[in-house]
Amino acid sequence: MSLQDLNINTYYPCHFSNYATASGRSVQWIVVHYTGGNGSALANVKYFATPLPAGDKASAHFFVGHASENAQIYQSVAPSDTAWHCGSDVYYSECRNATSIGIETCCHNDTEDQSANSPDWYFDSQTVDALAELVRALMAEYGIDTDHVIRHYDVTHKICPAMWVHDANAWADFKARLYTASDMEDNDMVRYKRLSDIPNTYGFRDVVETLMNAKIIQGDGSDPVGNNDVIDLSHDQVRTLIFLYRGGGFDSKLAAEGLSPAVGAKG
């Protein structure tokens, strides 16, 4: 599905003072956010269509609505321009505003604790469906792979989107939805028999070795003096392990084995 197929509402453009116009920028990343409040996508785009209070600099390219809005997608800032959605004084990723597209996802919290630390934030399933369609369309439009679809948290360590920072498995599940059928088939055809077979271009082999040291992955015992046992993992399985590791999904097990947690190690 292309961007043109998504019926994106463009009637409420962001006010010119809330973003930066750009010429020929290179889009390399997609950053997923949550709005951090119960407001609708329509209310959000209307808010950013007006000047923000003096000194405030914030915007996003897209907003994905609640189920009550039929998960309507709104474009606030054109992808060709730079929205101010993931800037920081400290970064944990190469992603920047100038090279990324920011998507704000409408959410709910039915409790009094509206802080990012609350475990009660959630997305409507219809909202997540629309978000996945939007992200896949943007990936196809700009040639972006799943490794470059990240959370705001992965850029600055802000707890955003809170529900997918608190639950790294849920984030990994969402990332798994971004593969096309052909991707899944191609990735399943590539298998790594041993640790040494896994490429280390993005640190994949190092992560798998860490998981083996933590006994999270176990081989067949054919290499008693090292970590080159037969593991027989598909490329897709390795990527899923990487998502979980980098999202902190294995941190408690790593700590139990006396190893540094992935999230803690980033800070």
Side-chain angles (χ1 to χ4, degrees):
M1 183 175 292
S2 69
L3 288 171
Q4 291 71 32
D5 297 325
L6 294 180
N7 189 33
I8 297 173
N9 186 309
T10 59
Y11 295 148
Y12 303 94
C14 188
H15 192 270
F16 68 87
S17 64
N18 300 335
Y19 69 96
T21 56
S23 176
R25 81 186 189 109
S26 175
V27 176
Q28 303 168 26
W29 304 84
I30 298 170
V31 181
V32 176
H33 304 254
Y34 82 132
T35 54
N38 292 309
S40 67
L42 178 58
N44 274 279
V45 291
K46 285 183 174 180
Y47 175 75
F48 286 102
T50 62
L52 298 183
D56 287 357
K57 296 179 67 173
S59 50
H61 292 92
F62 297 96
F63 290 82
V64 183
H66 293 133
S68 60
E69 303 175 85
N70 294 317
Q72 176 66 53
I73 300 169
Y74 292 84
Q75 178 183 297
S76 180
V77 176
S80 57
D81 290 324
T82 300
W84 298 324
H85 62 96
C86 65
S88 176
D89 294 330
V90 179
Y91 290 95
Y92 298 86
S93 164
E94 295 178 358
C95 174
R96 299 292 185 272
N97 284 328
T99 57
S100 62
I101 288 175
I103 304 173
E104 289 282 357
T105 315
C106 288
C107 52
H108 302 279
N109 186 328
D110 303 324
T111 71
E112 292 184 1
D113 183 2
Q114 300 282 301
S115 73
N117 292 323
S118 170
D120 297 306
W121 291 103
Y122 66 95
F123 293 131
D124 294 326
S125 59
Q126 188 176 349
T127 300
V128 176
D129 291 344
L131 173 64
E133 288 187 345
L134 174 59
V135 171
R136 284 195 296 264
L138 290 168
M139 290 170 64
E141 182 77 15
Y142 293 97
I144 296 172
D145 61 29
T146 52
D147 289 338
H148 287 73
V149 179
I150 58 180
R151 303 164 295 182
H152 188 182
Y153 173 81
D154 300 311
V155 185
T156 67
H157 274 192
K158 181 177 180 178
I159 307 302
C160 172
M163 61 289 284
W164 285 348
V165 175
H166 300 315
D167 187 352
N169 291 335
W171 171 242
D173 289 343
F174 176 76
K175 290 287 292 277
R177 297 181 60 175
L178 304 181
Y179 290 106
T180 64
S182 60
D183 289 335
M184 296 293 283
E185 182 177 343
D186 291 343
N187 286 337
D188 198 52
M189 290 173 63
V190 178
R191 302 193 70 85
Y192 306 114
K193 185 176 182 180
R194 299 179 185 276
L195 175 66
S196 57
D197 297 329
I198 300 175
N200 205 36
T201 307
Y202 298 104
F204 281 17
R205 188 192 312 139
D206 291 342
V207 171
V208 172
E209 184 171 15
T210 297
L211 298 180
M212 292 179 74
N213 289 336
K215 302 181 179 63
I216 295 168
I217 301 172
Q218 295 187 352
D220 67 346
S222 58
D223 181 18
V225 295
N227 268 349
N228 213 26
D229 290 1
V230 172
I231 51 178
D232 191 27
L233 295 173
S234 72
H235 184 71
D236 186 51
Q237 288 173 320
V238 170
R239 289 168 70 99
T240 299
L241 290 168
I242 301 301
F243 295 152
L244 288 169
Y245 171 83
R246 291 178 176 169
F250 298 122
D251 277 1
S252 60
K253 293 181 180 179
L254 291 169
E257 293 295 326
L259 299 172
S260 297
V263 172
K266 292 179 183 177

